[in-house]
Amino acid sequence: MPKAIGLVTCNYTTASKDDVFLDRPVASMPYLGRYRLVDFALSNMVDAGIRTVGMIMPNNYRSLVDHVGSGKDWDLDRKNGGLFIMPGTAFGTSRTGARFLIRDLVQNRAFFTKNNEKYVVLSTANFICSVDINALIAKHEETGANITVLTKKASCDGNVDVVTFDVENGRVKSMHQGVKFGEAAFLDYAVIERTLLLELLDSFAAVDHLDLFEALNSEYSRFRVMACEFDGYMKPIFDKASYFTANMDLLDTDVLAELTNARPIKTKAHDNPPAKYEPGCKVSNSLVASGDRIYGTVQGSILGRNVIVEPGASVRNSVIMQGVIVKSGAKIENAIIDKANVVPAGTELRGTDGDILYLKKN
Amino acid sequence: MLLAGGQGSRLGVLTSKVAKPAVSFGGKYRIIDFVLSNCANSGISTVGVLTQYRPYLLHEYLGTGEAWNLDERGGGVAILPPFATQTGASWYAGTADAITQNLGYLEGQDPEYVLILSGDQLYRMDYEDMLATHKANNADLTVAVMPVPWEDAPRFGIMNTREDGSIEEFVEKPAEPKSNLASMGIYIFNADVLIKTLKEDAEKEDSSHDFGGDIIPTLLAEGKRLYTYQFKAYWRDVGTVASFHEANMELLGEEPAFDLFAQDAPIMSNSSTRPPAFVGPKGSVDDSLIDNGCTILGSVEHSVISSDVFVGKGAIVKDSILFPGARVEENAVVINAIMAERATVKAGATFGSADEETVTLGDDAVVEKEA
């Protein structure tokens, strides 16, 4: 078990104007039929043996608290330690770039003083990846760094929300917002010594509107911040397009296995019956969650829990979130249908490959 | 008090490693889920579970009872295996003896009424309604009964009743039945009557310490008020491989005999958090139940598939029941079969056929391709 506590920040929005993220914190976005994005950060930490995890909440925290509850489903309902739900500052939600907002950390300083483990593992909620945090801590100790950040060389130009480090011989020289091909994208996982974090919070008190790594920009010569290269599947989710691909990527069984087998993704347990495939249905190349009832056709799609696809209805190349009912004869293609929508009989909802149609939650 | 110690020997290899109540059922459940969910849905918050035969999986599965909202302070689930006292130790020798040996637990809970249940039956019942009947009749004991076809009556314990539902006579497996009301092995006792009768029965050397065979006849002879509670909905005692197979198949179809999706009394289970099932580009599924964590690359038809099952490319699964973790490799064929947990049918092999009786494959067993 690592000498570490975890911190998952959830008090931020994305630069994207897509309404996918308008009604909810990024952290509680449903993903892959049955998860929420925050499950990955929590599961990675818990899998490494961390049993003290703080979550900094956005102001619209209802769905997030509903999801994590007492932390029981992640074994975080401990007598000592466990899950700490902490307030974020109201300022954070209007600030897109700052995911490790210093003001949020300062406001919850007690979390870092009361738990006396050696390290703090930092994370946000919207990177889909399965991370061995103990390996990250081992790398941190091996290089004798002050801070170790998890990075991955970008395979294409990426989102403006992703933070990028300029790295020389493994050492971070500076950071900037947005990522281009070949640059070291920050996966928002970092290890820092707890006492150093407390020192930094004190010394950055005057610039608490900044992101921690942004504030460090003038200090990267003073502190040894080392980059640790991640070699697995990774997907940042910051807009509609990346959300859609991050779902569809999982139709590749190798990616699905990497993300869910080696390190189980824990999530809130639900009592759904198994999915029921009715006589005459057609299902192929799809992920189908429990509680679904399929009478019609489903191809190349992700179906959340308790979805009903009625006779004669078809769902193609789409992400259908929990509780959606696709009435008979309705046709859905290239779309994201958010929670609890009823798609009326005979309607057609079609997006294109380049512009996925989004139906907001009911 | 939930009797869950039975072996279920007629289920063969399916119960060679686990007790019958812990046998996988319906794609994501274990048999005991149905009775525990009935308890939770009926507002019963204190359940003693009597275990004996191969209890590891059952104990682990029950845990604190939280999956059925039964993790309550001052009540909840208590696991009651046989134990030793100053005067020695013994196994549970019969249904009544199992309760007798746990009178300490029962008296500690100090209930007014005791509901005796079997952990190996499939049905949805509101025990509150049965208790209301018990109270309305001012009964000492109420036995749940259901009408069975007359030709099947000789296989059951039959209650001969008067017009008001009171019990006149109990006959175990009558050759010439006078009634077709079969005992379901579900009893509500007034606690004081139960405790007194069990203590007296324990002293009788000629008693087999069985509710049907000994306790009910004793109470009838004493002139106690015994009533029936008629139950007419779906109820199955999956005693044999054939009836187990049939009960699973009754979950399928557009109007199944037992609807797992009914909202009013959900069947709860100690479920895992596996990803959704993947049906591959060339996979096909028809008329089946498939739980999370499965990978279906071949064809599945009219089957019940539990979590983390793998069906390889070109494989065919038909009229079958696959328990958690079962593997049907490439081009294998599984027809009219039950594969227990983590059982494997190797690539190209065939297991079962439509023309013969349902075949079973035990936990971790492997079927190789014939040379």
Side-chain angles (χ1 to χ4, degrees):
Chain A
M1 202 167 279
K3 301 239 164 293
I5 59 174
L7 181 79
V8 183
T9 64
C10 305
N11 187 26
Y12 54 84
T13 55
T14 68
S16 160
K17 292 287 171 273
D18 296 334
D19 42 9
V20 178
F21 293 118
L22 277 189
D23 290 339
R24 51 164 83 85
V26 181
S28 65
M29 187 74 189
Y31 174 69
L32 200 66
R34 70 164 308 171
Y35 302 105
R36 303 272 183 162
L37 291 186
V38 74
D39 290 343
F40 286 83
L42 290 176
S43 298
N44 285 331
M45 288 190 181
V46 167
D47 183 76
I50 296 175
R51 290 293 181 274
T52 301
V53 178
M55 286 176 72
I56 294 183
M57 288 287 158
N59 63 349
N60 52 346
Y61 56 79
R62 186 201 54 80
S63 58
L64 205 44
V65 170
D66 177 26
H67 182 66
V68 296
S70 64
K72 188 183 74 180
D73 289 311
W74 296 263
D75 297 324
L76 287 174
D77 53 337
R78 302 292 96 184
K79 284 194 169 176
N80 299 306
L83 184 66
F84 290 80
I85 304 287
M86 305 190 290
T89 54
F91 182 72
T93 51
S94 60
R95 181 72 213 279
T96 58
R99 292 195 289 279
F100 299 104
L101 185 68
I102 292 171
R103 192 173 286 186
D104 280 349
L105 305 181
V106 169
Q107 176 156 309
N108 295 291
R109 202 173 188 279
F111 176 69
F112 306 109
T113 56
K114 283 189 173 172
N115 294 290
N116 51 15
E117 301 291 4
K118 188 169 184 192
Y119 300 112
V120 179
V121 176
L122 300 172
S123 165
T124 60
N126 47 336
F127 282 77
I128 301 296
C129 52
S130 178
V131 179
D132 182 349
I133 285 174
N134 283 328
L136 184 65
I137 294 173
K139 177 88 173 178
H140 178 81
E141 293 181 332
E142 180 193 312
T143 59
N146 297 118
I147 303 173
T148 301
V149 294
L150 191 68
T151 59
K152 187 173 173 73
K153 193 175 274 194
S155 55
C156 59
D157 291 355
N159 197 282
V160 291
D161 285 291
V162 177
V163 165
T164 301
F165 289 114
D166 306 303
V167 180
E168 265 179 47
N169 299 324
R171 184 167 172 183
V172 171
K173 294 290 172 192
S174 66
M175 66 79 79
H176 61 267
Q177 201 82 37
V179 62
K180 296 225 155 46
F181 171 81
E183 289 184 327
F186 181 26
L187 272 56
D188 284 7
Y189 281 86
V191 179
I192 180 170
E193 232 169 272
R194 191 178 51 87
T195 49
L196 173 60
L197 178 63
L198 285 167
E199 282 170 34
L200 291 178
L201 295 185
D202 290 341
S203 61
F204 290 147
V207 288
D208 66 0
H209 60 288
L210 296 179
D211 176 275
L212 178 65
F213 295 92
E214 192 180 9
L216 278 165
N217 229 351
S218 54
E219 308 280 346
Y220 284 116
S221 55
R222 192 150 74 88
F223 296 107
R224 265 171 63 82
V225 180
M226 302 298 288
C228 173
E229 179 74 8
F230 179 71
D231 59 4
Y233 173 87
M234 175 283 282
K235 195 85 184 173
I237 296 182
F238 285 102
D239 55 15
K240 187 173 71 178
S242 55
Y243 174 78
F244 187 76
T245 357
N247 274 281
M248 290 302 164
D249 281 356
L250 279 280
L251 291 176
D252 177 338
T253 44
D254 291 339
V255 177
L256 182 66
E258 180 192 326
L259 279 180
T260 60
N261 286 354
R263 204 162 283 108
I265 304 305
K266 297 181 160 80
T267 188
K268 183 178 177 179
H270 292 275
D271 267 309
N272 308 117
K276 195 152 180 281
Y277 301 68
E278 302 292 354
C281 74
K282 289 195 166 53
V283 182
S284 67
N285 196 33
S286 294
L287 284 161
V288 179
S290 59
D292 291 346
R293 268 171 290 177
I294 306 175
Y295 301 81
T297 301
V298 178
Q299 283 174 356
S301 296
I302 317 285
L303 261 55
R305 295 177 288 111
N306 302 333
V307 167
I308 300 175
V309 180
E310 291 194 351
S314 72
V315 175
R316 290 189 170 85
N317 195 40
S318 294
V319 175
I320 312 291
M321 293 190 209
Q322 68 200 63
V324 169
I325 301 174
V326 185
K327 300 295 258 184
S328 63
K331 297 194 179 342
I332 297 173
E333 194 169 351
N334 301 326
I336 300 168
I337 310 295
D338 211 320
K339 286 166 66 173
N341 270 296
V342 177
V343 180
T347 36
E348 296 199 11
L349 293 174
R350 255 181 244 273
T352 62
D353 275 344
D355 188 16
I356 299 299
L357 182 144
Y358 172 71
L359 189 62
K360 70 174 189 176
K361 71 176 163 181
N362 187 3
Chain B
M1 298 297 273
L2 203 168
L3 299 159
Q7 178 182 355
S9 56
R10 287 175 300 159
L11 287 177
V13 293
L14 302 183
T15 54
S16 62
K17 288 181 182 164
V18 299
K20 185 172 157 193
V23 169
S24 172
F25 184 86
K28 87 175 281 184
Y29 307 96
R30 297 189 186 277
I31 292 173
I32 199 171
D33 283 333
F34 291 76
V35 173
L36 287 172
S37 298
N38 284 341
C39 287
N41 292 330
S42 304
I44 295 171
S45 57
T46 304
V47 183
V49 184
L50 298 109
T51 65
Q52 177 159 285
Y53 174 81
R54 295 207 181 264
Y56 295 150
L57 181 64
L58 188 54
H59 287 182
E60 184 190 328
Y61 188 68
L62 289 167
T64 60
E66 67 168 65
W68 307 271
N69 291 331
L70 289 170
D71 52 337
E72 296 207 356
R73 281 158 212 262
V77 159
I79 296 177
L80 305 171
F83 57 94
T85 65
Q86 293 91 327
T87 53
S90 65
W91 299 106
Y92 295 152
T95 50
D97 179 59
I99 310 288
T100 306
Q101 291 202 37
N102 286 285
L103 282 179
Y105 168 77
L106 204 54
E107 288 172 325
Q109 296 293 335
D110 194 22
E112 203 168 334
Y113 304 101
V114 181
L115 171 66
I116 312 272
L117 299 164
S118 292
D120 54 4
Q121 302 174 343
L122 304 168
Y123 61 103
R124 263 196 195 100
M125 189 193 283
D126 181 1
Y127 302 132
E128 259 182 315
D129 190 52
M130 182 174 169
L131 182 60
T133 306
H134 179 81
K135 288 178 182 170
N137 288 329
N138 197 19
D140 294 303
L141 163 63
T142 300
V143 182
V145 294
M146 68 178 301
V148 295
W150 279 94
E151 63 269 27
D152 291 343
R155 295 196 292 116
F156 290 91
I158 294 295
M159 298 287 168
N160 298 331
T161 59
R162 302 182 190 90
E163 268 186 19
D164 64 351
S166 64
I167 299 171
E168 196 169 24
E169 192 187 11
F170 170 76
V171 204
E172 186 70 57
K173 297 181 180 156
E176 290 175 14
K178 283 189 251 173
S179 149
N180 69 335
L181 294 178
S183 167
M184 299 162 71
I186 301 167
Y187 312 106
I188 291 180
F189 281 92
N190 287 351
D192 51 348
V193 174
L194 174 69
I195 292 169
K196 178 170 170 286
T197 314
L198 285 178
K199 283 181 176 168
E200 288 168 3
D201 182 73
E203 303 297 323
K204 292 181 189 162
E205 285 189 4
D206 58 342
S207 172
S208 56
H209 311 302
D210 184 76
F211 277 107
D214 305 287
I215 303 297
I216 293 175
T218 302
L219 290 172
L220 278 171
E222 287 176 4
K224 290 280 196 288
R225 295 175 65 85
L226 272 61
Y227 280 80
T228 52
Y229 172 76
Q230 273 218 37
F231 183 74
K232 286 179 180 149
Y234 184 92
W235 177 82
R236 292 288 183 276
D237 177 6
V238 285
T240 63
V241 169
S243 66
F244 179 83
H245 185 265
E246 190 188 341
N248 273 279
M249 293 303 143
E250 282 171 343
L251 303 171
L252 299 175
E254 290 198 13
E255 284 178 19
F258 189 89
D259 185 8
L260 289 173
F261 287 79
Q263 299 287 319
D264 46 345
I267 308 300
M268 295 171 256
S269 71
N270 189 347
S271 54
S272 63
T273 52
R274 300 289 295 137
F278 177 67
V279 181
K282 293 196 171 148
S284 73
V285 182
D286 192 56
D287 195 11
S288 297
L289 284 163
I290 298 186
D291 195 26
N292 287 330
C294 291
T295 304
I296 311 293
L297 305 178
S299 147
V300 175
E301 192 184 330
H302 197 250
S303 294
V304 175
I305 312 289
S306 298
S307 58
D308 296 312
V309 162
F310 176 84
V311 177
K313 278 182 195 160
I316 294 170
V317 176
K318 196 176 172 190
D319 301 325
S320 295
I321 302 156
L322 273 54
F323 288 5
R327 283 182 68 84
V328 179
E329 297 187 346
E330 273 184 32
N331 299 318
V333 177
V334 174
I335 294 176
N336 190 20
I338 303 171
M339 292 171 65
E341 303 192 26
R342 301 169 304 277
T344 301
V345 174
K346 288 281 191 185
T350 297
F351 186 61
S353 94
D355 312 325
E356 290 159 41
E357 283 187 5
T358 306
V359 289
T360 54
L361 190 60
D363 289 344
D364 302 296
V366 178
V367 173
E368 301 279 355
K369 188 183 178 184
E370 284 175 42

